[in-house]
């Protein structure tokens, strides 16, 4: 959740009905411009932190720091 908030890449909700309902309401209220920004932020987050290439580089850096 921390990454989503840090990158402004979406809405975080808990597993309960009220939280989910509030998340949907926030999504409905967001402007098209802000929605597109959030979508682009989500893509950037995924590319930066969760793609195999970036994960591989993180692992490589950790391995070199250990030696």
């Amino acid at each position: 959740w921390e990454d989503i908030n840090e990158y402004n890449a979406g809405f975080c909700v808990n597993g309960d009905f009220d939280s989910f309902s509030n998340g949907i309401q926030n999504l409905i209220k967001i402007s098209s411009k802000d929605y597109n920004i959030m979508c682009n932020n989500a893509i950037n987050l995924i590319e930066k932190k969760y793609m195999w290439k970036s994960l591989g580089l993180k692992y490589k850096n950790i391995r070199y720091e250990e030696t």
Side-chain angles (χ1 to χ4, degrees):
W1 300 127
E2 189 175 300
D3 287 341
I4 293 171
N5 289 327
E6 180 182 333
Y7 280 77
N8 187 30
F11 296 106
C12 298
V13 298
N14 296 322
D16 61 277
F17 178 80
D18 288 336
S19 180
F20 185 76
S21 176
N22 287 335
I24 295 295
Q25 289 174 12
N26 289 334
L27 186 59
I28 291 169
K29 292 177 187 175
I30 194 170
S31 70
S32 294
K33 179 182 175 185
D34 288 339
Y35 176 78
N36 288 328
I37 290 170
M38 195 175 283
C39 289
N40 287 328
N41 291 345
I43 292 168
N44 290 333
L45 167 63
I46 292 166
E47 288 175 346
K48 184 173 183 181
K49 290 201 165 189
Y50 300 103
M51 297 292 285
W52 282 114
K53 182 178 179 180
S54 59
L55 291 173
L57 290 173
K58 284 181 189 179
Y59 177 73
K60 180 180 173 184
N61 290 336
I62 291 170
R63 298 258 309 147
Y64 283 123
E65 288 175 5
E66 292 176 353
T67 58

